[in-house]
Amino acid sequence: MVGDIIGTIALGSLVLRADLLIFLLSAAFGYIVLKIKFRHREAGGWIKEGYVNALGIGFFLWKFSMLFFSPLETLSNPLSLLYFTGGQRGVWLGVLGAITYLAYRGYKNRPLLVPFVKAALLAYGAVQGFRFTMFFLWEGAVGWENLLCAVLAAGLGIMAWLKYESPLRSFLPLALWYSIGSAVIPFLDEYRHAVLIGFSLEQLFFLLVAISLLFLDSFIGNKR
């Protein structure tokens, strides 16, 4: 998966996993972006609360996913939770948990669903743009695919910021092209783990999103 790194960062006597520190910094950056964008909007507090809760759920499921995938081994050595995660499976578990929470939150407050979706795209672009930039700075030229992902995500975030007042349908092309780009860029990573016809699980996910967005755009167009 583009963006995976291995390493630690020493902060005095404290040693942190590099990917954990980058996650925390990226999450903080996304929150700052939302805080600035929604500082004078009525729904701002509700949207920021949803962002924090979704990140908390995703982080918890990722960090402690070993309890789901290897419960006996983890319980026999609880300290392993401090240093290890469930790996790629844990990431997907965290993503699934965060998306499920956001979908439930949006369903419970349907009048704010449209601004919520727009804010989610804005936050996602900001977080991923910052995250992949940090990965690129960490790995340098070795991980230049991360730079392409950073540019792609930053473009999504910037356009979501600029087009925020536009109708929700105008966000479909943004999400579509981002999904296509996210499905193509990993082909440049020779170490990706292919699971089906040369595609990694991450690529298949974004390919499915892109196809779904095409059908959704066609469905909306036919109803007009």
Side-chain angles (χ1 to χ4, degrees), residues 119-185:
L121 286 175
L122 170 59
Y124 179 84
V127 169
Q128 290 293 79
F130 187 92
R131 173 173 168 264
F132 281 115
T133 298
M134 293 296 292
F135 283 148
F136 175 73
L137 294 176
W138 176 269
E139 295 185 337
V142 175
W144 65 274
E145 297 91 349
N146 290 319
L147 180 60
L148 295 179
C149 290
V151 172
L152 182 66
L156 173 66
I158 292 171
M159 292 304 298
W161 178 293
L162 296 176
K163 294 172 64 67
Y164 186 81
E165 303 299 339
S166 302
L168 182 59
R169 191 187 179 189
S170 66
F171 281 67
L172 285 177
L174 296 180
L176 174 61
W177 285 110
Y178 177 83
S179 300
I180 293 174
S182 296
V184 171
I185 290 176

Side-chain angles (χ1 to χ4, degrees), residues 3-190:
D4 285 348
I5 61 174
I6 300 175
T8 58
I9 297 175
L11 299 175
S13 59
L14 178 64
V15 178
L16 292 176
R17 286 172 53 113
D19 55 353
L20 176 58
L21 181 59
I22 289 176
F23 170 84
L24 294 175
L25 291 174
S26 302
F29 180 76
Y31 183 83
I32 291 172
V33 170
L34 289 180
K35 188 175 180 64
I36 294 173
K37 184 64 175 177
F38 295 98
R39 62 186 182 276
H40 298 310
R41 296 177 184 269
E42 184 179 351
W46 184 78
I47 287 174
K48 288 182 290 185
E49 180 186 358
Y51 172 81
V52 172
N53 291 344
L55 281 178
I57 291 171
F59 175 78
F60 180 86
L61 290 175
W62 166 69
K63 182 60 179 171
F64 297 103
S65 56
M66 287 181 62
L67 286 171
F68 296 92
F69 301 124
S70 304
L72 296 180
E73 294 84 346
T74 303
L75 292 175
S76 65
N77 183 21
L79 288 178
S80 63
L81 290 172
L82 296 176
Y83 305 102
F84 302 103
T85 68
Q88 195 62 41
R89 292 181 302 175
V91 171
W92 285 107
L93 180 62
V95 169
L96 179 61
I99 291 177
T100 301
Y101 166 77
L102 290 174
Y104 173 77
R105 188 176 179 85
Y107 175 77
K108 292 290 287 184
N109 198 343
R110 288 184 287 279
L112 292 178
L113 181 58
V114 170
F116 193 51
V117 172
K118 294 179 181 179
L121 286 175
L122 170 59
Y124 179 84
V127 169
Q128 290 293 79
F130 187 92
R131 173 173 168 264
F132 281 115
T133 298
M134 293 296 292
F135 283 148
F136 175 73
L137 294 176
W138 176 269
E139 295 185 337
V142 175
W144 65 274
E145 297 91 349
N146 290 319
L147 180 60
L148 295 179
C149 290
V151 172
L152 182 66
L156 173 66
I158 292 171
M159 292 304 298
W161 178 293
L162 296 176
K163 294 172 64 67
Y164 186 81
E165 303 299 339
S166 302
L168 182 59
R169 191 187 179 189
S170 66
F171 281 67
L172 285 177
L174 296 180
L176 174 61
W177 285 110
Y178 177 83
S179 300
I180 293 174
S182 296
V184 171
I185 290 176
F187 278 122
L188 302 175
D189 181 11
E190 59 181 313

